[in-house]
C-alpha cells in the first residue's frame, strides 16, 4: 500500500471548517483513500473513503485531486468534539489491513 | 447498542500471568481484527480472522493466541505476560475487508 504524509498537528477555530491535507504521491490506480480519527482514549472511528470522485457523508467531505496524489478531509463546522488524531490511509478496497501512521493531531479551539 | 465491544476495559496484572481479552461484534461482519497501540500511539495490526479462519498473523510473539469461536467473537489470550505487553489493545470488525469498526479498547498494564 502507498505511503501517506500528513502534517503533525493543526489548529482550527470552533465553528470554522477544518481542512486536513494528505499527500499520497505514490498511490496506484486501485488504491482508495480512507480517513479515520481517534478521539483521546477511544477506538479509531471510520470517517469516509473514496477512489477519485469527491465524497460526502454526514461527518465530512473528501476532496481528491485529479491526479490523486493528494486529498483533503473537510469537517465543515468543527466542534470541540472533533479534537482528535486524524489518519489518512491508502489501501486497495479489500486489502488485508489498515496501516496507521502518526496522523494529524487536530485541536479545535473555542 | 454497542457495535464492537471489548472486556475488560482495564486490565492490571503482574508479569508472568496469563490473561484474556474478549471481543464481540453485533454488526454481522465476517472479519475481525486485533490491533495493539503502544505508548508512542502507533496502531499496529496483530491478527485478522475471516469467518473464524486466521488470515493475518503479523510478527507477534507466540505468547499471543487469538481464538474465534464464531464470526461474532474474537478473543485474545496472552501467556506469560511481559512488561512490554503493556499497551491498549483494540478489536475491530469489517464486512470482508472493507472499512473497519473499532471497539473501545482494553488498556493492559503489566507490573
Amino acid at each position: 500500500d502507498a505511503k501517506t504524509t500528513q502534517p503533525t498537528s493543526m489548529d482550527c477555530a470552533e465553528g470554522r471548517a477544518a481542512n486536513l491535507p494528505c499527500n499520497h504521491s505514490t498511490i496506484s490506480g486501485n488504491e482508495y483513500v480512507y480517513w479515520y480519527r481517534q478521539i483521546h482514549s477511544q477506538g479509531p472511528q471510520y470517517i469516509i473513503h473514496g477512489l477519485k470522485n469527491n465524497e460526502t457523508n454526514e461527518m465530512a467531505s473528501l476532496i481528491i485531486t485529479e491526479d490523486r496524489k493528494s486529498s483533503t478531509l473537510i469537517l465543515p463546522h468543527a466542534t470541540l468534539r472533533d479534537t482528535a488524531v486524524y489518519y489518512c490511509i491508502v489501501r486497495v478496497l479489500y486489502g488485508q489491513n489498515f496501516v496507521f501512521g502518526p496522523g494529524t493531531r487536530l485541536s479545535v479551539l473555542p | 447498542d454497542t457495535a464492537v465491544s471489548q472486556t475488560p476495559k482495564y486490565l492490571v496484572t503482574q508479569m508472568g500471568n496469563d490473561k484474556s481479552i474478549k471481543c464481540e461484534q453485533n454488526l454481522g461482519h465476517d472479519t475481525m481484527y486485533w490491533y495493539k497501540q503502544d505508548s508512542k500511539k502507533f496502531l499496529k495490526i496483530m491478527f485478522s480472522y475471516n469467518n473464524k479462519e486466521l488470515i493475518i498473523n503479523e510478527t507477534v510473539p507466540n505468547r499471543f493466541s487469538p481464538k474465534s469461536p464464531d464470526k461474532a467473537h474474537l478473543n485474545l489470550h496472552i501467556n506469560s505476560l511481559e512488561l512490554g505487553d503493556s499497551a491498549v489493545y483494540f478489536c475491530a470488525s469489517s464486512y470482508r475487508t472493507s472499512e473497519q469498526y473499532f471497539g473501545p479498547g482494553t488498556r493492559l498494564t503489566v507490573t
Side-chain angles (χ1 to χ4, degrees):
Chain A
D1 296 325
K3 184 180 161 88
T4 63
T5 305
Q6 299 176 251
T8 303
S9 63
M10 293 180 64
D11 291 340
C12 175
E14 187 178 17
R16 306 295 291 267
N19 297 292
L20 293 100
C22 179
N23 286 324
H24 31 80
S25 58
T26 60
I27 193 170
S28 59
N30 64 344
E31 288 182 315
Y32 284 68
V33 180
Y34 287 81
W35 283 84
Y36 280 77
R37 73 180 181 183
Q38 188 172 22
I39 296 170
H40 180 63
S41 299
Q42 297 182 21
Q45 178 187 22
Y46 165 77
I47 302 174
I48 199 167
H49 73 283
L51 182 63
K52 55 184 177 181
N53 296 323
N54 297 338
E55 302 287 344
T56 296
N57 62 20
E58 65 279 2
M59 288 183 69
S61 294
L62 173 60
I63 309 298
I64 303 174
T65 58
E66 193 168 340
D67 63 8
R68 301 210 321 123
K69 293 186 177 181
S70 65
S71 60
T72 301
L73 179 75
I74 301 173
L75 307 178
H77 304 287
T79 70
L80 298 179
R81 289 180 295 179
D82 292 322
T83 292
V85 178
Y86 287 77
Y87 300 99
C88 169
I89 301 164
V90 170
R91 198 197 71 163
V92 296
L93 184 59
Y94 292 116
Q96 287 302 316
N97 59 288
F98 288 95
V99 178
F100 288 81
T104 295
R105 181 171 297 277
L106 174 68
S107 298
V108 180
L109 307 175
Chain B
D1 287 342
T2 303
V4 182
S5 60
Q6 296 178 227
T7 54
K9 187 168 175 63
Y10 300 97
L11 184 53
V12 181
T13 188
Q14 292 184 331
M15 287 175 55
N17 285 348
D18 303 338
K19 290 294 178 184
S20 292
I21 306 171
K22 296 186 176 182
C23 178
E24 176 180 3
Q25 55 93 5
N26 62 4
L27 296 167
H29 289 163
D30 58 1
T31 307
M32 296 185 72
Y33 312 80
W34 278 110
Y35 286 81
K36 177 181 179 181
Q37 188 168 41
D38 60 23
S39 58
K40 295 182 179 179
K41 301 298 185 183
F42 285 109
L43 198 61
K44 294 182 181 177
I45 185 81
M46 299 175 69
F47 301 102
S48 169
Y49 267 75
N50 176 260
N51 285 319
K52 301 196 300 174
E53 290 190 17
L54 181 65
I55 56 174
I56 291 178
N57 183 356
E58 294 294 318
T59 306
V60 175
N62 58 14
R63 297 181 294 103
F64 290 79
S65 54
K67 286 196 170 47
S68 182
D70 55 58
K71 287 196 302 184
H73 296 84
L74 180 63
N75 303 323
L76 184 65
H77 189 75
I78 315 170
N79 289 326
S80 303
L81 278 155
E82 300 177 357
L83 293 177
D85 298 333
S86 295
V88 182
Y89 292 84
F90 289 101
C91 176
S93 73
S94 68
Y95 173 66
R96 294 171 67 181
T97 51
S98 64
E99 62 270 17
Q100 297 174 10
Y101 294 84
F102 286 76
T106 295
R107 181 174 296 277
L108 171 65
T109 303
V110 183
T111 61

